Amino acid sequence: MNNAVHIVLDDTAMAAAGQGNILASRLIHRAHAESDWFLYAPACALVEADRARPGTAEHLASLPGITVLDLDLAAALAIARHKTWAAAHSHHAAQPTPDRPDGAIIATTTPHRWAGEPVRVLDLTP
């Protein structure tokens, strides 16, 4: 049985981590300290987080527990169908893959953004 936890940080979660959000900090710590916790930063969301809070991208990309997800062709095609690149790349990253058959949870400080979307959400609002 695979008990791995896969979490995608959206741009609001990344910005919150840069502002000292305790829940985001705990996720980052667990992803670094526990072998079955995985934290992902979609590149497009990372760009938006850095626009909102300069320095966020460099800081998060340097953390050992975070995997930055590149914008590949499948992600680019998914982005074309959404309003913002950040939300689209996060949504795409949360979808099931062979490595993550159950998909991933989207961590966010704006859970209402994901209402009606077929994704699981982790509210990081303190």
Side-chain angles (χ1 to χ4, degrees):
M1 181 176 200
N2 185 358
N3 292 324
V5 177
H6 297 276
I7 299 175
V8 173
L9 298 172
D10 77 358
D11 55 308
T12 67
M14 292 182 210
Q19 295 172 324
N21 178 294
I22 190 70
L23 300 173
S25 295
R26 286 180 184 163
L27 286 178
I28 292 167
H29 173 74
R30 288 193 83 166
H32 175 67
E34 298 186 30
S35 63
D36 58 349
W37 276 68
F38 301 93
L39 211 51
Y40 305 98
C44 293
L46 197 57
V47 168
E48 283 304 312
D50 200 71
R51 286 181 179 164
R53 184 169 171 76
T56 299
E58 186 175 5
H59 174 70
L60 288 176
S62 72
L63 297 174
I66 296 180
T67 301
V68 175
L69 300 176
D70 294 332
L71 181 62
D72 59 11
L73 177 59
L77 294 173
I79 285 171
R81 295 186 293 269
H82 289 271
K83 290 182 182 177
T84 71
W85 287 40
H89 201 183
S90 298
H91 181 274
H92 174 74
Q95 298 309 300
T97 66
D99 293 341
R100 300 183 302 274
D102 294 327
I105 301 163
I106 296 180
T108 184
T109 61
T110 57
H112 61 276
R113 166 198 268 181
W114 300 103
E117 294 289 338
V119 295
R120 295 174 291 158
V121 172
L122 176 61
D123 186 356
L124 298 183
T125 305

